[in-house]
Amino acid sequence: MELELERIKWVAFCESLQGARLTFPFGKEASVMKLSDKMFALIHFHKGVLFVSAKCEPERAERLKEEYRSIVPGYHLNKTH
């Protein structure tokens, strides 16, 4: 239940961004946040763990991964911009 509340908080935060909208192109299990029909965040559970995947410039992503241990690459978002 606590993880579901955390998911709801992340969705609410993303929806608070101007122009953001919630979609479910992969089914109701994955909350996909979009701006101008482009995905910028994916909020979902995998093996009981809540994941929030956000698009980021590759160089900034590398810096953030070095600074925060909890940041890991999203296997489904591994494309270079």
Side-chain angles (χ1 to χ4, degrees):
M1 182 66 154
E2 187 176 317
L3 281 178
E4 179 59 20
L5 291 175
E6 190 66 23
R7 185 195 68 78
I8 290 168
K9 288 179 187 177
W10 276 105
V11 169
F13 169 75
C14 289
E15 286 183 311
S16 74
L17 301 173
Q18 185 176 354
R21 63 186 178 86
L22 173 62
T23 66
F24 298 94
F26 308 121
K28 64 183 179 179
E29 302 83 28
S31 302
V32 175
M33 304 306 302
K34 290 187 174 184
L35 276 170
S36 301
D37 292 327
K38 294 198 180 242
M39 182 175 80
F40 73 88
L42 173 63
I43 304 163
H44 68 289
F45 290 100
H46 180 68
K47 296 183 180 181
V49 177
L50 177 64
F51 285 88
V52 179
S53 301
K55 288 196 174 177
C56 184
E57 294 294 327
E59 298 81 22
R60 183 167 188 218
E62 288 301 320
R63 287 193 309 271
L64 290 170
K65 285 190 299 185
E66 290 173 7
E67 189 172 344
Y68 301 98
R69 288 185 326 152
S70 60
I71 295 179
V72 295
Y75 68 93
H76 46 283
L77 299 175
N78 63 354
K79 298 176 184 163
T80 301
H81 297 36

